[in-house]
Amino acid sequence: QISIKDFDELKAAAKKLKEIRTQLRECTTVDDKEINEDEWIQIINVDAEKITKIAAEYSAVEEFYEDDVIKLVNLKSVVTSNT
């Protein structure tokens, strides 16, 4: 059993996750490409500008300003190249 307060917090968190998922889905399109008669692949197109802004909103940054520079990078490469 959980308390009403805990339930309400879980419900609010689930709603927020659903909103984030919707935002992320709005950043992508999927195209199917036929390789041959029996094989298809998906081409997933991601709007880098939109997804970068969404990521910045939920990052460790306390406040996000419109004129901040946001870069979409491979973090593993950035960490490696800076050390």
Side-chain angles (χ1 to χ4, degrees), residues 49-65 68-71:
E49 184 176 341
K50 285 182 183 178
I51 207 156
T52 302
K53 286 182 180 180
I54 291 169
E57 287 179 39
Y58 299 103
S59 70
V61 177
E62 288 188 28
E63 204 161 342
F64 173 68
Y65 302 98
D68 286 346
V69 176
I70 307 166
K71 295 177 5 179

Side-chain angles (χ1 to χ4, degrees), residues 2-34:
I2 63 171
S3 69
I4 292 174
K5 179 184 174 196
D6 289 342
F7 177 79
D8 289 343
E9 287 174 358
L10 285 172
K11 188 175 174 182
K15 182 179 178 183
K16 190 65 178 170
L17 285 173
K18 186 176 180 180
E19 290 170 6
I20 294 169
R21 185 174 182 181
T22 299
Q23 287 179 312
L24 292 172
R25 285 179 178 229
E26 290 173 354
C27 295
T28 60
T29 61
V30 179
D31 299 318
D32 294 320
K33 180 177 180 181
E34 184 176 4

